[in-house]
Amino acid sequence: MAGKVILVGAGPGDPGLLTVRGRQALEGAEVVVYDRLAGPAVLALIPRTARGIDVGKAAACHPVPQEQINRILVEEARAGRQVVRLKGGDPFVFGRGGEEAEALKRAGVAFEVVPGVTSAVAAPACAGIPVTHRDYSSSLHILTGHARRGGALSIDFDALVRCGGTLVFLMGLVALPRIVGGLLEAGMDPQTPAALVENGTLPSQRCCRAPLASLAERAAELDIHSPALILVGPVCALSLDGQPPLRGKRILVTRPRGRSGPLSERLRALGAEVAELPLIETVPIRPCPAMEAALAGLSAYEWLALTSPAGVEALWTCLRDMGRDARQLGGVKLASIGPGTARALEDRGLVSDLIPAVYDAAHLGEALAERAAGRVLLLRAEAGSPALPEALARRGVPYEDVPVYRTRCALAHSRRLRRALEAGEIDFVTLTSASTVRALLAAAGPEADFSKTLGLCIGPQTAAEARKYGIPVRVAAEATVDALAELAVESHAFS
Ligand code: SAH
């Protein structure tokens, strides 16, 4: 296949603001040429199979020269590769995307442009400032505050003041005092509302508002850093942010690889900064003669009970190994511990006959005991909660408890995790099973400091395990992803 370069606008930093087409381009990339402006959450979407080339090294102190970036793009495409050039915001709003496109055109290299959400509009919006408003401003001017060689700003301040529109300066932090001075000299009212937005759309976003005349002073007081933009105009008096409820919270999601998606997405949608750290992994026991025997003689059972999506997966692995499929389960009633497990069955075309009102092992056991007239087959983790078989035994229900998968620690001791806990960089950690709690302890080490971190627990058993090790906890109202996200919001509100 012939090589090609796609100039992709990465948006202002929030990965939710990367366009669908941009994401598709990233997923198909063999080489991704990026700089830091794209933001860590968007950079995390670069597929593992793609080679990443960082051309924005060392916080723009020694960036790779533009000519060299152009050369890299041309060379990679000529070598027949699918290249994505990921650029913060929109590729053609400053940031030299136009020059890159010209170089590609000159070199006869095929290229495409995927527009992006520019920070010039999105960062103010997330700070509650609409860049235009019928009552306040009828034009929008996006300018660069970056001085060309020689140091002079090429800004016509008189024209800007005459227009009376909203002004957005990108790359203007260094020149902030000169920009303010220029506007005041050209006759702008010193009381004109103005604002700075730092890390717009990211969990670390900060916004400061001040009258134009004191904006530079405020910026210095708050130690505002790049990337930040300057906004000037009456719209800066507005504050219309529907701030997401978890903005600014840093949450560690510890679910097994491949299962953290829905929870992380939910938390991110609520504004949290999410780091994923799979602490445990589940491994089907394979071969599993006990499960094979039970499945071959399934007519001896009235109920088949599953306690996690991992159990469903192990069941399917076994059926496949036996050369069978879902029809093998035709005659048996199906019980799922909760909606996640039920969904895993539904994905395979099977509807659960029973989900207990409370999604835990004890309640599943009680609910089964109430209904079962015949034998119950439990397919679950090797070290599953004793509450389930105990409930059945108490009521004299015959059952077979077959371990079909194991959980094991996925992470060795991590000094980085320990330091992050110590530094208070993790506000919440999600805990979805007792084994996750033990794996967290193993990874963070016995002396880890949990005093600045709250454990958000899926249920009371998990919470009990966490309390044993002195981790402060709160417990979700029910064992679902939604309830866990809800718990994060409540905990944030009260913290
Ligand atoms: N093409 C980009 C702009 C590149 S110039 C876009 O469309 O957004 C880089 C400047 O953009 C930074 O110096 C800063 O002024 C601004 N910027 C980029 N991302 C930002 C963010 N998340 N918050 C505030 N300003 C940002």
Side-chain angles (χ1 to χ4, degrees):
M1 197 159 55
K4 181 164 126 186
V5 177
I6 312 183
L7 295 173
V8 174
D14 175 348
L17 295 175
L18 172 66
T19 64
V20 173
R21 200 186 296 171
R23 186 156 183 169
Q24 283 166 348
L26 259 190
E27 279 162 4
E30 291 168 296
V31 177
V32 179
V33 181
Y34 63 92
D35 47 67
R36 293 290 146 80
L37 197 57
V42 174
L43 294 181
L45 299 174
I46 297 176
R48 284 190 198 176
T49 46
R51 182 155 52 90
I53 302 178
D54 183 354
V55 291
K57 300 246 169 60
C61 288
H62 302 287
V64 176
Q66 189 60 49
E67 298 68 40
Q68 197 178 330
I69 298 177
N70 298 352
R71 218 163 28 241
I72 292 171
L73 296 177
V74 169
E75 276 167 16
E76 292 292 341
R78 281 195 177 148
R81 302 194 180 101
Q82 298 300 303
V83 183
V84 161
R85 168 64 171 125
L86 196 59
K87 299 187 70 71
D90 180 89
F92 285 171
V93 176
F94 299 117
R96 309 183 74 169
E99 290 166 58
E100 289 171 14
E102 270 174 350
L104 293 166
K105 194 170 170 191
R106 249 194 330 268
V109 167
F111 72 94
E112 222 178 89
V113 181
V114 178
V117 174
T118 179
S119 65
V121 174
C126 286
I129 301 171
V131 286
T132 70
H133 187 292
R134 244 167 79 106
D135 298 336
Y136 300 97
S137 147
S138 56
S139 65
L140 168 64
H141 311 263
I142 302 174
L143 305 114
T144 171
H146 184 69
R148 284 220 159 192
R149 239 166 270 137
L153 294 174
S154 48
I155 299 174
D156 184 345
F157 288 109
D158 293 320
L160 289 178
V161 173
R162 237 186 352 264
C163 279
T166 303
L167 311 180
V168 181
F169 295 90
L170 304 184
M171 300 178 279
L173 210 50
V174 173
L176 177 58
R178 277 188 290 159
I179 290 171
V180 170
L183 290 169
L184 293 177
E185 249 171 59
M188 189 174 269
D189 180 351
Q191 291 306 311
T192 305
L196 286 159
V197 185
E198 177 194 62
N199 291 330
T201 79
L202 292 165
S204 49
Q205 171 179 302
R206 291 197 294 169
C207 172
C208 83
R209 294 159 202 264
L212 178 63
S214 49
L215 190 65
E217 222 170 277
R218 275 302 278 150
E221 265 168 35
L222 293 171
D223 196 20
I224 298 282
H225 279 285
S226 178
L229 51 77
I230 304 164
L231 271 160
V232 181
V235 289
C236 294
L238 297 170
S239 180
L240 307 174
D241 56 340
Q243 285 275 338
L246 288 177
R247 157 106 39 227
K249 280 283 143 180
R250 288 158 302 183
I251 306 184
L252 187 66
V253 169
T254 60
R255 310 208 77 190
R257 197 175 294 288
R259 292 223 174 77
S260 54
L263 180 55
S264 298
E265 259 165 46
R266 190 89 180 76
L267 293 171
R268 282 199 185 106
L270 290 165
E273 186 175 351
V274 174
E276 290 180 356
L277 185 70
L279 285 172
I280 57 171
E281 55 190 8
T282 56
V283 201
I285 295 173
R286 203 174 173 197
C288 188
M291 174 155 52
E292 283 188 24
L295 293 176
L298 203 56
S299 55
Y301 296 93
E302 188 196 7
W303 285 92
L304 165 58
L306 292 149
T307 60
S308 74
V312 177
E313 228 169 82
L315 167 59
W316 247 257
T317 305
C318 183
L319 283 174
R320 237 187 341 258
D321 288 351
M322 292 166 75
R324 299 295 166 86
D325 59 28
R327 285 170 293 181
Q328 187 72 16
L329 311 178
V332 76
K333 288 182 189 154
L334 295 171
S336 290
I337 195 164
T341 306
R343 209 167 311 118
L345 281 173
E346 245 163 56
D347 289 345
R348 290 159 170 97
L350 298 174
V351 177
S352 300
D353 302 289
L354 168 67
I355 303 173
V358 177
Y359 312 137
D360 66 19
H363 288 83
L364 175 61
E366 290 299 329
L368 274 168
E370 260 166 43
R371 289 170 184 75
R375 286 179 77 75
V376 176
L377 174 62
L378 309 176
L379 300 182
R380 55 193 201 122
E382 193 171 47
S385 158
L388 173 51
E390 274 167 17
L392 296 173
R394 243 193 336 268
R395 306 278 283 266
V397 178
Y399 69 89
E400 179 106 27
D401 189 5
V402 180
V404 299
Y405 68 94
R406 301 193 166 97
T407 56
R408 63 177 185 212
C409 289
L411 184 74
H413 182 65
S414 159
R415 228 179 276 152
R416 210 171 131 208
L417 171 62
R418 191 166 143 186
R419 273 202 299 268
L421 286 165
E422 234 161 53
E425 286 168 9
I426 303 172
D427 298 302
F428 301 146
V429 54
T430 66
L431 297 169
T432 45
S433 69
S435 50
T436 310
V437 174
R438 290 190 290 272
L440 176 65
L441 260 296
E447 272 115 54
D449 173 11
F450 285 99
S451 62
K452 302 182 192 90
T453 304
L454 181 68
L456 302 177
C457 297
I458 192 116
Q461 278 103 343
T462 307
E465 189 71 15
R467 282 198 196 96
K468 268 198 227 162
Y469 303 102
I471 303 175
V473 291
R474 295 192 67 187
V475 188
E478 59 173 25
T480 59
V481 161
D482 283 350
L484 212 50
E486 193 53 41
L487 180 68
V489 172
E490 271 170 36
S491 305
H492 182 30
F494 292 115
S495 63

